[in-house]
Short mmCIF file of all heavy atoms in Angstrom, two decimals:
data_model
loop_
_atom_site.label_atom_id
_atom_site.label_comp_id
_atom_site.label_asym_id
_atom_site.label_seq_id
_atom_site.Cartn_x
_atom_site.Cartn_y
_atom_site.Cartn_z
N LEU T 29 -5.91 2.52 -6.41
CA LEU T 29 -7.21 3.06 -6.83
C LEU T 29 -8.35 2.24 -6.24
O LEU T 29 -9.33 2.79 -5.71
CB LEU T 29 -7.30 3.07 -8.36
CG LEU T 29 -8.63 3.49 -8.99
CD1 LEU T 29 -9.08 4.85 -8.48
CD2 LEU T 29 -8.50 3.49 -10.51
N VAL T 32 -8.39 2.72 -2.23
CA VAL T 32 -8.89 4.04 -1.84
C VAL T 32 -10.39 4.13 -2.08
O VAL T 32 -11.16 4.62 -1.24
CB VAL T 32 -8.14 5.14 -2.61
CG1 VAL T 32 -8.79 6.50 -2.39
CG2 VAL T 32 -6.68 5.19 -2.18
N SER T 33 -10.82 3.65 -3.24
CA SER T 33 -12.25 3.71 -3.58
C SER T 33 -13.08 2.84 -2.65
O SER T 33 -14.18 3.23 -2.23
CB SER T 33 -12.45 3.27 -5.03
OG SER T 33 -11.65 4.04 -5.92
N ALA T 34 -12.55 1.67 -2.30
CA ALA T 34 -13.27 0.78 -1.38
C ALA T 34 -13.37 1.40 0.01
O ALA T 34 -14.41 1.32 0.68
CB ALA T 34 -12.59 -0.58 -1.31
N ALA T 35 -12.27 2.05 0.45
CA ALA T 35 -12.29 2.68 1.77
C ALA T 35 -13.31 3.82 1.82
O ALA T 35 -14.05 3.97 2.81
CB ALA T 35 -10.90 3.21 2.11
N TRP T 36 -13.37 4.61 0.75
CA TRP T 36 -14.35 5.70 0.73
C TRP T 36 -15.78 5.16 0.66
O TRP T 36 -16.69 5.67 1.32
CB TRP T 36 -14.09 6.63 -0.45
CG TRP T 36 -14.98 7.83 -0.42
CD1 TRP T 36 -16.07 8.07 -1.20
CD2 TRP T 36 -14.88 8.94 0.47
NE1 TRP T 36 -16.66 9.26 -0.86
CE2 TRP T 36 -15.94 9.82 0.17
CE3 TRP T 36 -13.99 9.29 1.49
CZ2 TRP T 36 -16.14 11.01 0.85
CZ3 TRP T 36 -14.18 10.47 2.17
CH2 TRP T 36 -15.25 11.32 1.86
N MET T 37 -15.98 4.12 -0.13
CA MET T 37 -17.32 3.52 -0.25
C MET T 37 -17.77 2.98 1.10
O MET T 37 -18.93 3.17 1.50
CB MET T 37 -17.30 2.41 -1.30
CG MET T 37 -18.68 1.77 -1.56
SD MET T 37 -18.68 0.73 -3.05
CE MET T 37 -17.61 -0.62 -2.52
N LEU T 38 -16.86 2.32 1.83
CA LEU T 38 -17.22 1.75 3.13
C LEU T 38 -17.55 2.86 4.13
O LEU T 38 -18.49 2.72 4.93
CB LEU T 38 -16.09 0.88 3.66
CG LEU T 38 -16.37 0.12 4.96
CD1 LEU T 38 -17.51 -0.87 4.78
CD2 LEU T 38 -15.13 -0.60 5.46
N SER T 39 -16.80 3.98 4.09
CA SER T 39 -17.08 5.07 5.01
C SER T 39 -18.45 5.68 4.76
O SER T 39 -19.06 6.28 5.66
CB SER T 39 -15.99 6.15 4.91
OG SER T 39 -16.09 6.87 3.69
N GLY T 40 -18.95 5.56 3.52
CA GLY T 40 -20.30 6.03 3.22
C GLY T 40 -21.37 5.04 3.60
O GLY T 40 -22.54 5.42 3.80
N ALA T 85 -20.57 -1.53 -6.21
CA ALA T 85 -20.81 -0.13 -6.56
C ALA T 85 -22.08 0.03 -7.39
O ALA T 85 -22.77 1.04 -7.29
CB ALA T 85 -19.61 0.42 -7.32
N ARG T 87 -24.66 -1.66 -6.97
CA ARG T 87 -25.74 -2.07 -6.08
C ARG T 87 -26.40 -3.37 -6.53
O ARG T 87 -27.61 -3.55 -6.45
CB ARG T 87 -26.80 -0.96 -5.97
CG ARG T 87 -26.22 0.35 -5.43
CD ARG T 87 -27.28 1.40 -5.25
NE ARG T 87 -26.69 2.64 -4.73
CZ ARG T 87 -27.39 3.74 -4.46
NH1 ARG T 87 -28.69 3.77 -4.68
NH2 ARG T 87 -26.78 4.81 -4.00
N GLY T 140 -2.60 6.08 -8.76
CA GLY T 140 -3.85 5.47 -8.30
C GLY T 140 -4.60 6.37 -7.33
O GLY T 140 -5.83 6.53 -7.44
N ASN T 141 -3.87 6.96 -6.37
CA ASN T 141 -4.51 7.87 -5.41
C ASN T 141 -5.11 9.08 -6.11
O ASN T 141 -6.22 9.52 -5.79
CB ASN T 141 -3.49 8.32 -4.37
CG ASN T 141 -3.03 7.19 -3.47
OD1 ASN T 141 -3.71 6.18 -3.31
ND2 ASN T 141 -1.86 7.35 -2.88
N THR T 142 -4.36 9.65 -7.06
CA THR T 142 -4.85 10.82 -7.78
C THR T 142 -6.07 10.48 -8.62
O THR T 142 -7.05 11.25 -8.65
CB THR T 142 -3.73 11.39 -8.68
OG1 THR T 142 -2.57 11.65 -7.89
CG2 THR T 142 -4.18 12.68 -9.35
N LEU T 143 -6.03 9.34 -9.29
CA LEU T 143 -7.18 8.93 -10.10
C LEU T 143 -8.44 8.76 -9.26
O LEU T 143 -9.54 9.06 -9.71
CB LEU T 143 -6.86 7.63 -10.83
CG LEU T 143 -6.00 7.74 -12.09
CD1 LEU T 143 -5.69 6.35 -12.63
CD2 LEU T 143 -6.71 8.57 -13.15
N ALA T 144 -8.26 8.27 -8.03
CA ALA T 144 -9.43 8.09 -7.16
C ALA T 144 -10.16 9.42 -6.96
O ALA T 144 -11.40 9.47 -6.98
CB ALA T 144 -9.00 7.52 -5.82
N GLY T 145 -9.40 10.51 -6.79
CA GLY T 145 -10.03 11.81 -6.61
C GLY T 145 -10.57 12.39 -7.89
O GLY T 145 -11.63 13.02 -7.91
N VAL T 146 -9.86 12.19 -9.00
CA VAL T 146 -10.27 12.77 -10.28
C VAL T 146 -11.51 12.07 -10.84
O VAL T 146 -12.41 12.71 -11.40
CB VAL T 146 -9.11 12.71 -11.28
CG1 VAL T 146 -9.57 13.10 -12.68
CG2 VAL T 146 -7.96 13.60 -10.83
N LEU T 147 -11.56 10.74 -10.70
CA LEU T 147 -12.63 9.97 -11.31
C LEU T 147 -13.94 10.05 -10.54
O LEU T 147 -15.02 9.92 -11.13
CB LEU T 147 -12.22 8.50 -11.45
CG LEU T 147 -11.03 8.22 -12.38
CD1 LEU T 147 -10.66 6.75 -12.33
CD2 LEU T 147 -11.36 8.63 -13.81
N PHE T 148 -13.86 10.23 -9.21
CA PHE T 148 -15.08 10.18 -8.41
C PHE T 148 -16.12 11.22 -8.82
O PHE T 148 -17.30 10.90 -8.96
CB PHE T 148 -14.75 10.31 -6.92
CG PHE T 148 -15.94 10.09 -6.02
CD1 PHE T 148 -16.35 8.81 -5.70
CD2 PHE T 148 -16.66 11.16 -5.51
CE1 PHE T 148 -17.45 8.60 -4.88
CE2 PHE T 148 -17.75 10.97 -4.70
CZ PHE T 148 -18.15 9.68 -4.38
N PRO T 149 -15.73 12.51 -9.03
CA PRO T 149 -16.75 13.48 -9.44
C PRO T 149 -17.37 13.17 -10.81
O PRO T 149 -18.48 13.61 -11.11
CB PRO T 149 -15.98 14.81 -9.49
CG PRO T 149 -14.77 14.58 -8.65
CD PRO T 149 -14.43 13.14 -8.82
N ILE T 150 -16.66 12.41 -11.63
CA ILE T 150 -17.14 12.11 -12.99
C ILE T 150 -18.11 10.94 -12.99
O ILE T 150 -19.22 11.02 -13.56
CB ILE T 150 -15.96 11.81 -13.93
CG1 ILE T 150 -15.00 13.00 -13.96
CG2 ILE T 150 -16.44 11.47 -15.33
CD1 ILE T 150 -13.71 12.72 -14.70
N GLY T 151 -17.70 9.83 -12.37
CA GLY T 151 -18.52 8.63 -12.46
C GLY T 151 -18.64 7.83 -11.18
O GLY T 151 -18.99 6.65 -11.21
N LYS T 152 -18.31 8.48 -10.02
CA LYS T 152 -18.43 7.82 -8.72
C LYS T 152 -17.63 6.52 -8.69
O LYS T 152 -16.67 6.34 -9.42
CB LYS T 152 -19.90 7.59 -8.37
CG LYS T 152 -20.77 8.84 -8.44
CD LYS T 152 -20.31 9.91 -7.48
CE LYS T 152 -21.22 11.14 -7.55
NZ LYS T 152 -20.76 12.24 -6.69
N THR T 153 -18.04 5.61 -7.81
CA THR T 153 -17.27 4.38 -7.62
C THR T 153 -17.33 3.45 -8.83
O THR T 153 -16.42 2.65 -9.03
CB THR T 153 -17.77 3.63 -6.37
OG1 THR T 153 -19.20 3.55 -6.43
CG2 THR T 153 -17.37 4.36 -5.11
N LEU T 154 -18.39 3.55 -9.64
CA LEU T 154 -18.46 2.71 -10.84
C LEU T 154 -17.28 2.99 -11.76
O LEU T 154 -16.63 2.05 -12.26
CB LEU T 154 -19.77 2.96 -11.58
CG LEU T 154 -21.02 2.28 -11.03
CD1 LEU T 154 -22.26 2.78 -11.75
CD2 LEU T 154 -20.91 0.77 -11.16
N LEU T 155 -16.97 4.26 -11.99
CA LEU T 155 -15.85 4.60 -12.86
C LEU T 155 -14.52 4.26 -12.19
O LEU T 155 -13.58 3.80 -12.85
CB LEU T 155 -15.90 6.09 -13.20
CG LEU T 155 -14.85 6.59 -14.19
CD1 LEU T 155 -14.95 5.83 -15.51
CD2 LEU T 155 -15.01 8.10 -14.43
N GLN T 156 -14.43 4.46 -10.88
CA GLN T 156 -13.19 4.14 -10.18
C GLN T 156 -12.83 2.66 -10.31
O GLN T 156 -11.71 2.31 -10.67
CB GLN T 156 -13.32 4.51 -8.70
CG GLN T 156 -13.36 6.01 -8.43
CD GLN T 156 -13.63 6.31 -6.97
OE1 GLN T 156 -14.44 5.65 -6.32
NE2 GLN T 156 -12.96 7.31 -6.42
N PHE T 157 -13.80 1.79 -10.03
CA PHE T 157 -13.49 0.35 -10.05
C PHE T 157 -13.30 -0.17 -11.48
O PHE T 157 -12.49 -1.07 -11.70
CB PHE T 157 -14.59 -0.43 -9.34
CG PHE T 157 -14.63 -0.18 -7.85
CD1 PHE T 157 -15.82 0.15 -7.21
CD2 PHE T 157 -13.49 -0.27 -7.08
CE1 PHE T 157 -15.86 0.39 -5.85
CE2 PHE T 157 -13.51 -0.03 -5.71
CZ PHE T 157 -14.70 0.31 -5.10
N GLN T 159 -11.95 1.50 -13.94
CA GLN T 159 -10.59 1.89 -14.34
C GLN T 159 -9.54 1.07 -13.59
O GLN T 159 -8.48 0.78 -14.16
CB GLN T 159 -10.38 3.38 -14.07
CG GLN T 159 -11.25 4.29 -14.91
CD GLN T 159 -11.12 4.00 -16.39
OE1 GLN T 159 -10.03 4.08 -16.96
NE2 GLN T 159 -12.22 3.64 -17.03
N ARG T 218 -14.65 12.52 5.89
CA ARG T 218 -16.08 12.59 5.62
C ARG T 218 -16.83 13.27 6.76
O ARG T 218 -17.69 14.13 6.53
CB ARG T 218 -16.64 11.19 5.37
CG ARG T 218 -18.11 11.17 4.97
CD ARG T 218 -18.62 9.74 4.89
NE ARG T 218 -18.10 9.03 3.74
CZ ARG T 218 -18.68 9.02 2.54
NH1 ARG T 218 -19.79 9.71 2.34
NH2 ARG T 218 -18.16 8.32 1.55
N GLY T 223 -15.55 16.59 4.08
CA GLY T 223 -14.96 16.51 2.75
C GLY T 223 -15.60 15.42 1.90
O GLY T 223 -16.51 14.72 2.33
N ASN T 224 -15.09 15.29 0.68
CA ASN T 224 -15.57 14.27 -0.24
C ASN T 224 -14.42 13.36 -0.66
O ASN T 224 -13.30 13.49 -0.15
CB ASN T 224 -16.24 14.92 -1.45
CG ASN T 224 -15.33 15.93 -2.13
OD1 ASN T 224 -14.11 15.78 -2.14
ND2 ASN T 224 -15.92 16.99 -2.67
N CYS T 225 -14.68 12.50 -1.61
CA CYS T 225 -13.66 11.54 -2.04
C CYS T 225 -12.47 12.24 -2.66
O CYS T 225 -11.32 11.78 -2.51
CB CYS T 225 -14.27 10.54 -3.02
SG CYS T 225 -13.17 9.18 -3.47
N PHE T 226 -12.70 13.35 -3.33
CA PHE T 226 -11.58 14.11 -3.91
C PHE T 226 -10.64 14.58 -2.80
O PHE T 226 -9.42 14.49 -2.93
CB PHE T 226 -12.12 15.30 -4.71
CG PHE T 226 -11.03 16.16 -5.29
CD1 PHE T 226 -10.39 15.78 -6.46
CD2 PHE T 226 -10.64 17.33 -4.67
CE1 PHE T 226 -9.37 16.56 -7.01
CE2 PHE T 226 -9.62 18.11 -5.20
CZ PHE T 226 -9.00 17.73 -6.37
N ASP T 227 -11.21 15.10 -1.72
CA ASP T 227 -10.39 15.57 -0.59
C ASP T 227 -9.58 14.41 0.01
O ASP T 227 -8.40 14.55 0.31
CB ASP T 227 -11.27 16.20 0.49
CG ASP T 227 -12.06 17.38 -0.04
OD1 ASP T 227 -11.48 18.21 -0.75
OD2 ASP T 227 -13.27 17.45 0.24
N PHE T 228 -10.25 13.27 0.18
CA PHE T 228 -9.58 12.09 0.73
C PHE T 228 -8.43 11.65 -0.18
O PHE T 228 -7.31 11.38 0.28
CB PHE T 228 -10.61 10.97 0.88
CG PHE T 228 -10.04 9.64 1.26
CD1 PHE T 228 -9.11 9.50 2.28
CD2 PHE T 228 -10.44 8.48 0.58
CE1 PHE T 228 -8.59 8.26 2.62
CE2 PHE T 228 -9.94 7.25 0.92
CZ PHE T 228 -9.01 7.13 1.93
N ALA T 229 -8.70 11.62 -1.49
CA ALA T 229 -7.66 11.20 -2.43
C ALA T 229 -6.50 12.18 -2.45
O ALA T 229 -5.34 11.79 -2.59
CB ALA T 229 -8.26 11.07 -3.83
N MET T 230 -6.78 13.49 -2.31
CA MET T 230 -5.70 14.48 -2.31
C MET T 230 -4.82 14.35 -1.07
O MET T 230 -3.61 14.61 -1.13
CB MET T 230 -6.28 15.88 -2.40
CG MET T 230 -6.88 16.22 -3.76
SD MET T 230 -5.75 15.95 -5.17
CE MET T 230 -6.31 14.34 -5.80
#
Side-chain angles (χ1 to χ4, degrees):
L29 175 55
V32 171
S33 304
W36 186 255
M37 184 168 68
L38 185 63
S39 71
R87 301 183 180 181
N141 293 338
T142 305
L143 280 176
V146 171
L147 296 176
F148 187 81
I150 302 172
K152 307 299 182 184
T153 48
L154 281 173
L155 185 58
Q156 290 174 320
F157 292 130
Q159 295 307 301
R218 185 186 288 271
N224 54 33
C225 187
F226 178 81
D227 301 315
F228 172 47
M230 289 306 100

